[in-house]
Coordinates of all heavy atoms in Angstrom, one line a residue:
A1 N -22.8 -30.5 23.9 CA -22.8 -29.1 24.1 C -23.5 -28.4 22.9 O -23.4 -28.8 21.8 CB -21.4 -28.5 24.2
T2 N -24.2 -27.3 23.2 CA -24.9 -26.6 22.2 C -24.2 -25.2 22.0 O -23.9 -24.5 23.0 CB -26.4 -26.3 22.6 OG1 -27.0 -27.6 22.8 CG2 -27.1 -25.5 21.5
V3 N -24.0 -24.8 20.8 CA -23.4 -23.5 20.5 C -24.4 -22.7 19.7 O -24.9 -23.2 18.7 CB -22.1 -23.7 19.7 CG1 -21.5 -22.4 19.4 CG2 -21.1 -24.6 20.5
N4 N -24.6 -21.6 20.2 CA -25.5 -20.6 19.4 C -24.7 -19.7 18.6 O -23.7 -19.1 19.0 CB -26.4 -19.8 20.4 CG -27.4 -20.6 21.1 OD1 -27.9 -21.6 20.6 ND2 -27.6 -20.3 22.4
T5 N -25.0 -19.6 17.3 CA -24.3 -18.7 16.4 C -25.3 -17.7 15.9 O -26.5 -17.9 15.9 CB -23.7 -19.5 15.2 OG1 -24.8 -20.1 14.5 CG2 -22.7 -20.5 15.7
K6 N -24.8 -16.5 15.6 CA -25.6 -15.4 15.1 C -25.0 -14.9 13.8 O -23.8 -14.6 13.8 CB -25.6 -14.3 16.2 CG -26.4 -13.1 15.8 CD -26.4 -12.1 16.9 CE -27.1 -10.8 16.5 NZ -27.0 -9.8 17.5
K7 N -25.8 -14.8 12.8 CA -25.3 -14.3 11.5 C -25.4 -12.8 11.5 O -26.5 -12.3 11.8 CB -26.1 -14.9 10.4 CG -25.6 -14.5 9.0 CD -26.4 -15.1 7.9 CE -25.9 -14.6 6.6 NZ -26.6 -15.1 5.4
T8 N -24.3 -12.2 11.3 CA -24.4 -10.7 11.2 C -24.1 -10.3 9.7 O -23.4 -10.9 9.0 CB -23.3 -10.1 12.1 OG1 -22.0 -10.5 11.7 CG2 -23.6 -10.4 13.6
T9 N -24.7 -9.2 9.4 CA -24.6 -8.7 8.0 C -23.7 -7.4 8.2 O -24.1 -6.5 8.9 CB -25.9 -8.3 7.4 OG1 -26.7 -9.6 7.3 CG2 -25.7 -7.8 6.0
T10 N -22.6 -7.4 7.5 CA -21.8 -6.2 7.5 C -21.8 -5.6 6.1 O -21.7 -6.2 5.1 CB -20.3 -6.6 7.8 OG1 -20.3 -7.2 9.0 CG2 -19.4 -5.3 7.8
T11 N -22.1 -4.3 6.1 CA -22.2 -3.6 4.8 C -21.2 -2.5 4.7 O -20.7 -2.0 5.7 CB -23.6 -2.9 4.6 OG1 -23.9 -2.0 5.7 CG2 -24.7 -4.0 4.6
L12 N -20.9 -2.1 3.5 CA -19.9 -1.0 3.2 C -20.5 0.3 3.6 O -21.6 0.6 3.1 CB -19.5 -1.0 1.8 CG -18.5 0.0 1.4 CD1 -17.2 -0.2 2.1 CD2 -18.3 -0.1 -0.2
S13 N -19.9 1.1 4.5 CA -20.4 2.4 4.9 C -19.8 3.5 4.1 O -20.5 4.5 3.7 CB -20.1 2.6 6.4 OG -20.7 1.6 7.2
K14 N -18.5 3.5 3.9 CA -17.9 4.5 3.1 C -16.5 4.1 2.5 O -15.9 3.1 3.0 CB -17.7 5.8 3.9 CG -16.6 5.7 5.0 CD -16.5 7.0 5.7 CE -15.4 6.9 6.8 NZ -15.2 8.2 7.5
I15 N -16.1 4.8 1.5 CA -14.8 4.6 0.9 C -14.0 5.9 1.0 O -14.6 6.9 0.6 CB -14.8 4.1 -0.5 CG1 -15.6 2.7 -0.6 CG2 -13.5 4.0 -1.1 CD1 -15.8 2.2 -2.0
A16 N -12.8 5.9 1.4 CA -12.0 7.2 1.5 C -10.6 6.9 0.9 O -10.1 5.8 0.8 CB -11.8 7.5 3.0
L17 N -10.1 8.0 0.4 CA -8.7 8.0 -0.2 C -7.7 8.0 1.0 O -7.7 8.8 1.8 CB -8.5 9.3 -1.0 CG -7.2 9.5 -1.6 CD1 -6.9 8.4 -2.6 CD2 -7.1 10.9 -2.3
K18 N -6.9 7.0 1.0 CA -5.8 6.9 2.0 C -4.5 7.4 1.4 O -3.8 8.2 2.1 CB -5.7 5.4 2.4 CG -4.6 5.3 3.5 CD -4.5 3.9 4.1 CE -3.5 3.8 5.2 NZ -3.4 2.5 5.8
T19 N -4.2 7.0 0.2 CA -2.9 7.4 -0.4 C -3.2 7.7 -1.9 O -3.8 6.9 -2.6 CB -1.9 6.3 -0.3 OG1 -1.7 5.8 1.0 CG2 -0.5 6.7 -0.9
K20 N -2.7 8.9 -2.3 CA -2.9 9.3 -3.7 C -2.0 8.5 -4.6 O -1.0 8.0 -4.1 CB -2.5 10.8 -3.8 CG -3.5 11.8 -3.1 CD -3.0 13.2 -3.4 CE -3.9 14.2 -2.6 NZ -3.5 15.6 -2.8
P21 N -2.4 8.4 -5.8 CA -1.5 7.7 -6.8 C -0.2 8.4 -6.9 O -0.1 9.6 -6.6 CB -2.3 7.7 -8.1 CG -3.6 8.4 -7.8 CD -3.6 8.9 -6.5
T22 N 0.8 7.6 -7.3 CA 2.2 8.2 -7.5 C 2.2 9.3 -8.6 O 2.8 10.3 -8.4 CB 3.2 7.1 -7.9 OG1 3.0 6.0 -6.9 CG2 4.6 7.6 -8.0
K23 N 1.5 9.0 -9.7 CA 1.5 10.0 -10.8 C 0.3 10.9 -10.7 O -0.9 10.4 -10.6 CB 1.5 9.3 -12.1 CG 1.6 10.2 -13.3 CD 1.7 9.4 -14.7 CE 1.8 10.4 -15.8 NZ 1.9 9.7 -17.1
L24 N 0.5 12.2 -10.6 CA -0.6 13.2 -10.5 C -0.6 14.2 -11.6 O -1.5 15.0 -11.8 CB -0.5 13.9 -9.2 CG -0.6 13.1 -7.9 CD1 -0.4 13.9 -6.7 CD2 -2.0 12.4 -7.9
T25 N 0.5 14.2 -12.5 CA 0.5 15.1 -13.6 C 0.5 14.3 -14.9 O 1.3 13.4 -15.0 CB 1.8 16.0 -13.5 OG1 1.8 16.7 -12.2 CG2 1.9 17.0 -14.6
Y26 N -0.3 14.8 -15.8 CA -0.5 14.0 -17.1 C -0.5 15.0 -18.3 O -0.7 16.2 -18.1 CB -1.9 13.3 -17.1 CG -2.0 12.2 -16.1 CD1 -2.4 12.5 -14.8 CD2 -1.7 10.9 -16.4 CE1 -2.4 11.4 -13.8 CE2 -1.8 9.9 -15.5 CZ -2.2 10.1 -14.2 OH -2.3 9.1 -13.3
N27 N -0.2 14.4 -19.4 CA -0.4 15.1 -20.7 C -1.7 14.7 -21.3 O -2.2 13.6 -21.0 CB 0.7 14.8 -21.7 CG 2.1 15.3 -21.2 OD1 2.2 16.4 -20.8 ND2 3.1 14.4 -21.2
V28 N -2.3 15.6 -22.1 CA -3.6 15.2 -22.8 C -3.4 13.9 -23.6 O -2.4 13.7 -24.3 CB -4.0 16.4 -23.8 CG1 -5.2 15.9 -24.6 CG2 -4.4 17.6 -23.0
G29 N -4.3 13.0 -23.4 CA -4.3 11.7 -24.1 C -3.7 10.6 -23.2 O -3.8 9.4 -23.6
D30 N -3.0 11.0 -22.1 CA -2.5 9.9 -21.2 C -3.6 9.1 -20.6 O -4.7 9.6 -20.3 CB -1.6 10.5 -20.1 CG -0.3 11.0 -20.5 OD1 0.1 10.8 -21.7 OD2 0.4 11.7 -19.7
K31 N -3.3 7.9 -20.3 CA -4.2 7.0 -19.5 C -3.9 7.2 -18.0 O -2.8 7.5 -17.6 CB -4.0 5.6 -19.9 CG -4.5 5.2 -21.3 CD -4.6 3.7 -21.5 CE -5.1 3.4 -22.9 NZ -6.5 3.8 -23.1
V32 N -4.9 7.2 -17.2 CA -4.8 7.3 -15.8 C -4.0 6.1 -15.2 O -4.3 5.0 -15.5 CB -6.2 7.4 -15.1 CG1 -6.0 7.4 -13.6 CG2 -6.9 8.6 -15.6
D33 N -3.0 6.5 -14.4 CA -2.1 5.4 -13.8 C -2.5 5.4 -12.3 O -2.2 6.4 -11.6 CB -0.7 5.8 -14.0 CG 0.3 4.8 -13.4 OD1 -0.1 3.8 -12.7 OD2 1.5 5.0 -13.6
T34 N -3.0 4.3 -11.8 CA -3.4 4.2 -10.4 C -2.4 3.6 -9.5 O -2.7 3.3 -8.3 CB -4.7 3.4 -10.3 OG1 -4.5 2.1 -10.8 CG2 -5.9 4.0 -11.0
T35 N -1.2 3.4 -10.0 CA -0.1 2.9 -9.2 C 0.1 3.7 -7.9 O 0.1 5.0 -8.0 CB 1.2 2.9 -10.0 OG1 1.1 2.1 -11.1 CG2 2.4 2.4 -9.1
G36 N 0.1 3.1 -6.8 CA 0.2 3.7 -5.5 C -1.1 4.1 -4.8 O -1.1 4.5 -3.6
L37 N -2.2 4.1 -5.5 CA -3.5 4.5 -5.0 C -3.9 3.4 -4.0 O -4.0 2.2 -4.2 CB -4.5 4.6 -6.1 CG -6.0 4.9 -5.7 CD1 -6.0 6.3 -5.1 CD2 -6.9 4.8 -6.9
V38 N -4.3 3.9 -2.8 CA -4.8 3.1 -1.7 C -6.1 3.7 -1.2 O -6.1 4.9 -0.8 CB -3.8 2.9 -0.5 CG1 -4.4 2.0 0.5 CG2 -2.5 2.3 -1.0
L39 N -7.2 2.9 -1.2 CA -8.5 3.4 -0.6 C -8.7 2.7 0.7 O -8.2 1.6 0.9 CB -9.6 3.0 -1.6 CG -9.4 3.5 -3.0 CD1 -10.5 2.9 -3.9 CD2 -9.5 5.0 -3.1
T40 N -9.4 3.3 1.6 CA -9.8 2.6 2.8 C -11.3 2.4 2.8 O -12.1 3.4 2.7 CB -9.4 3.4 4.1 OG1 -8.0 3.6 4.1 CG2 -9.8 2.7 5.4
A41 N -11.8 1.2 2.9 CA -13.2 0.8 3.0 C -13.5 0.7 4.5 O -12.8 0.0 5.2 CB -13.5 -0.5 2.3
T42 N -14.6 1.3 4.9 CA -15.1 1.2 6.3 C -16.5 0.6 6.2 O -17.3 0.9 5.4 CB -15.2 2.6 6.9 OG1 -14.0 3.3 6.9 CG2 -15.7 2.5 8.4
Y43 N -16.6 -0.4 7.1 CA -17.8 -1.2 7.1 C -18.7 -0.9 8.3 O -18.3 -0.2 9.3 CB -17.5 -2.7 7.1 CG -16.7 -3.1 5.9 CD1 -15.3 -3.0 5.8 CD2 -17.4 -3.5 4.7 CE1 -14.7 -3.4 4.7 CE2 -16.7 -3.8 3.6 CZ -15.4 -3.7 3.5 OH -14.7 -4.1 2.4
S44 N -20.0 -1.3 8.3 CA -21.0 -1.0 9.3 C -20.6 -1.4 10.7 O -21.1 -0.9 11.7 CB -22.3 -1.6 8.9 OG -22.3 -3.0 8.7
D45 N -19.7 -2.4 10.8 CA -19.3 -2.9 12.1 C -18.1 -2.1 12.6 O -17.5 -2.5 13.7 CB -19.1 -4.4 12.1 CG -17.9 -4.8 11.2 OD1 -17.3 -3.9 10.5 OD2 -17.6 -6.0 11.2
G46 N -17.6 -1.1 11.9 CA -16.5 -0.3 12.3 C -15.2 -0.8 11.8 O -14.1 -0.2 11.9
S47 N -15.1 -2.0 11.2 CA -13.9 -2.5 10.6 C -13.5 -1.8 9.4 O -14.3 -1.2 8.7 CB -14.0 -4.0 10.3 OG -15.0 -4.3 9.3
T48 N -12.2 -1.8 9.0 CA -11.7 -1.2 7.8 C -10.8 -2.1 7.1 O -10.3 -3.1 7.6 CB -10.9 0.1 8.2 OG1 -9.7 -0.3 9.0 CG2 -11.7 1.1 8.9
K49 N -10.7 -1.8 5.8 CA -9.8 -2.7 4.9 C -9.2 -1.7 3.9 O -9.9 -0.9 3.3 CB -10.6 -3.8 4.2 CG -9.8 -4.6 3.3 CD -10.7 -5.7 2.7 CE -9.9 -6.6 1.7 NZ -10.8 -7.6 1.1
N50 N -7.9 -1.9 3.7 CA -7.2 -1.1 2.6 C -7.5 -1.8 1.3 O -7.3 -3.0 1.2 CB -5.7 -1.1 2.9 CG -5.4 -0.1 4.0 OD1 -6.1 0.8 4.3 ND2 -4.2 -0.3 4.6
I51 N -7.8 -1.0 0.3 CA -8.1 -1.6 -1.0 C -7.1 -1.0 -2.0 O -6.9 0.2 -2.2 CB -9.5 -1.1 -1.5 CG1 -10.6 -1.4 -0.4 CG2 -9.9 -1.6 -2.9 CD1 -10.8 -2.8 -0.2
T52 N -6.4 -2.0 -2.7 CA -5.4 -1.5 -3.7 C -5.7 -2.1 -5.1 O -5.0 -1.7 -6.0 CB -4.0 -2.1 -3.3 OG1 -4.0 -3.5 -3.1 CG2 -3.5 -1.4 -1.9
T53 N -6.7 -2.9 -5.2 CA -7.1 -3.5 -6.5 C -8.6 -3.7 -6.5 O -9.3 -3.6 -5.4 CB -6.5 -4.8 -6.8 OG1 -6.8 -5.8 -5.8 CG2 -4.9 -4.7 -6.9
G54 N -9.2 -4.0 -7.7 CA -10.6 -4.3 -7.8 C -11.5 -3.1 -7.9 O -12.7 -3.2 -7.8
Y55 N -11.0 -2.0 -8.2 CA -11.8 -0.8 -8.4 C -11.6 -0.3 -9.9 O -10.7 -0.7 -10.6 CB -11.4 0.4 -7.5 CG -10.0 0.7 -7.4 CD1 -9.4 1.5 -8.4 CD2 -9.1 0.2 -6.4 CE1 -8.0 1.8 -8.4 CE2 -7.8 0.5 -6.4 CZ -7.2 1.3 -7.4 OH -5.9 1.5 -7.4
T56 N -12.5 0.6 -10.3 CA -12.3 1.2 -11.6 C -12.2 2.7 -11.5 O -12.7 3.3 -10.5 CB -13.5 0.8 -12.5 OG1 -14.7 1.3 -12.0 CG2 -13.6 -0.7 -12.8
V57 N -11.6 3.3 -12.5 CA -11.6 4.8 -12.5 C -12.2 5.3 -13.8 O -12.2 4.6 -14.8 CB -10.1 5.3 -12.4 CG1 -9.5 5.0 -11.1 CG2 -9.3 4.8 -13.6
S58 N -12.8 6.5 -13.7 CA -13.4 7.1 -14.9 C -13.2 8.6 -14.8 O -13.4 9.2 -13.7 CB -14.9 6.8 -14.8 OG -15.6 7.4 -15.9
P59 N -12.7 9.2 -15.9 CA -12.4 8.6 -17.1 C -11.0 7.8 -17.0 O -10.3 8.0 -16.1 CB -12.2 9.8 -18.1 CG -11.8 10.9 -17.2 CD -12.5 10.6 -15.9
T60 N -10.8 7.0 -18.0 CA -9.5 6.2 -18.0 C -8.4 6.9 -18.8 O -7.3 6.6 -18.6 CB -9.7 4.8 -18.6 OG1 -10.3 4.9 -19.9 CG2 -10.6 4.0 -17.7
S61 N -8.8 7.8 -19.6 CA -7.9 8.7 -20.4 C -8.2 10.1 -20.2 O -9.4 10.5 -20.1 CB -8.0 8.4 -21.9 OG -7.5 7.1 -22.2
L62 N -7.2 11.0 -20.2 CA -7.4 12.4 -19.9 C -7.4 13.2 -21.3 O -6.4 13.1 -22.0 CB -6.4 12.9 -19.0 CG -6.4 12.1 -17.6 CD1 -5.2 12.5 -16.8 CD2 -7.7 12.4 -16.9
T63 N -8.5 13.8 -21.6 CA -8.6 14.4 -23.0 C -8.7 15.9 -23.0 O -8.7 16.4 -24.1 CB -9.9 13.8 -23.6 OG1 -11.0 14.2 -22.7 CG2 -9.9 12.3 -23.7
T64 N -8.6 16.6 -21.9 CA -8.6 18.0 -21.9 C -7.5 18.6 -21.0 O -7.1 17.9 -20.1 CB -10.0 18.6 -21.5 OG1 -10.2 18.2 -20.2 CG2 -11.1 18.2 -22.4
V65 N -7.1 19.8 -21.3 CA -6.1 20.5 -20.5 C -6.8 21.1 -19.2 O -8.0 21.5 -19.2 CB -5.5 21.7 -21.3 CG1 -4.6 22.5 -20.4 CG2 -4.8 21.2 -22.5
G66 N -6.1 21.0 -18.1 CA -6.7 21.6 -16.8 C -6.9 20.5 -15.8 O -6.7 19.3 -16.0
T67 N -7.4 20.9 -14.7 CA -7.7 20.0 -13.6 C -8.9 19.1 -13.9 O -9.9 19.7 -14.4 CB -8.0 20.8 -12.3 OG1 -6.8 21.5 -12.0 CG2 -8.3 19.8 -11.1
Q68 N -8.8 17.8 -13.7 CA -10.0 17.0 -14.0 C -10.3 16.1 -12.8 O -9.4 15.7 -12.0 CB -9.6 16.1 -15.2 CG -9.5 16.8 -16.5 CD -9.3 15.9 -17.7 OE1 -9.9 14.9 -17.8 NE2 -8.4 16.3 -18.6
K69 N -11.6 15.8 -12.7 CA -12.0 14.9 -11.6 C -12.0 13.5 -12.1 O -12.5 13.2 -13.2 CB -13.5 15.3 -11.2 CG -14.1 14.5 -10.1 CD -15.5 15.0 -9.8 CE -16.2 14.2 -8.8 NZ -17.5 14.6 -8.5
I70 N -11.4 12.6 -11.3 CA -11.4 11.2 -11.5 C -12.3 10.5 -10.5 O -12.1 10.7 -9.3 CB -10.0 10.6 -11.4 CG1 -9.0 11.4 -12.3 CG2 -9.9 9.1 -11.7 CD1 -9.2 11.2 -13.7
T71 N -13.2 9.7 -11.0 CA -14.1 9.0 -10.1 C -13.6 7.6 -9.9 O -13.3 6.9 -10.9 CB -15.6 9.0 -10.7 OG1 -16.0 10.4 -10.8 CG2 -16.5 8.3 -9.7
V72 N -13.6 7.1 -8.7 CA -13.2 5.7 -8.4 C -14.4 5.0 -7.8 O -15.0 5.4 -6.9 CB -12.0 5.7 -7.3 CG1 -11.6 4.3 -7.0 CG2 -10.9 6.6 -7.8
T73 N -14.7 3.8 -8.4 CA -15.8 3.0 -8.0 C -15.3 1.6 -7.8 O -14.3 1.2 -8.3 CB -17.0 3.0 -9.0 OG1 -16.5 2.6 -10.3 CG2 -17.6 4.4 -9.1

């Protein structure tokens, strides 16, 4: 018997925030705590995967008063 296989390439299409981290309020000088953070990765074939580790945040420490933007990559 002959079986034909096809190699498909799936690429990451987008990343979205599914669940915010548990800690959202910090003091100046605190390190960012990502406990509870869940991201959803969506791929080109429509599949999704929850991501709870393997990412980085920037900045890792909060150095000014006020609302700050945290980038997750």
